[in-house]
Amino acid sequence: MTQPYRNAILVSALVGAFGAPASAHHAAAPHFDVEKTVVLNVVVTEFRFVNPHAYVYFTVTGADGAVTRGRCELASATSLRRLGWTTDIFPIGQKITINGAPARREDNVCMLTSVV
């Protein structure tokens, strides 16, 4: 095999290897109703600072006093770290207000859009 063919095969392999992961990521709309917003006053129970998505787990107390568990999906830990986030941004027991897009097929799940 001549050198130009080897180079072409190598370039094709590299493009294929690095192009597939980028195209494999999904949009939020199939999983979350981005046309709607939920506002939740919650207590943080866990924060998973992981890839491909980070998660904040929480409990929310309803008007009737019933406690419900839930979670919100965030961007990747890598992206959040670039924005200055750390693993201790959501201390366990912290009361926060979450704004998010509700999940289409799961109860008590959302995609976090902002937090106070």
Side-chain angles (χ1 to χ4, degrees):
M1 185 178 287
T2 64
Q3 188 63 31
Y5 288 113
R6 284 187 195 147
N7 290 343
I9 291 170
L10 177 61
V11 169
S12 297
L14 289 173
V15 169
F18 291 107
S23 66
H25 197 82
H26 61 84
H31 306 285
F32 301 98
D33 189 345
V34 296
E35 300 296 318
K36 295 180 182 175
T37 300
V38 293
V39 179
L40 305 167
N41 295 307
V42 307
V43 176
V44 176
T45 59
E46 183 179 2
F47 179 51
R48 292 189 185 167
F49 200 54
V50 296
N51 290 314
H53 297 278
Y55 294 91
V56 60
Y57 292 81
F58 55 83
T59 57
V60 60
T61 303
D64 61 356
V67 176
T68 304
R69 296 186 174 281
R71 75 174 187 276
C72 277
E73 182 175 304
L74 292 83
S76 69
T78 303
S79 297
L80 296 171
R81 194 172 287 114
R82 288 181 188 142
L83 295 172
W85 290 42
T86 62
T87 57
D88 58 351
I89 198 161
F90 294 119
I92 304 303
Q94 178 74 42
K95 292 180 181 180
I96 60 174
T97 300
I98 289 175
N99 294 296
R104 292 187 184 274
R105 291 175 287 282
E106 291 181 85
D107 292 333
N108 309 314
V109 177
C110 68
M111 177 184 68
L112 189 136
T113 54
S114 67
V115 64
V116 177

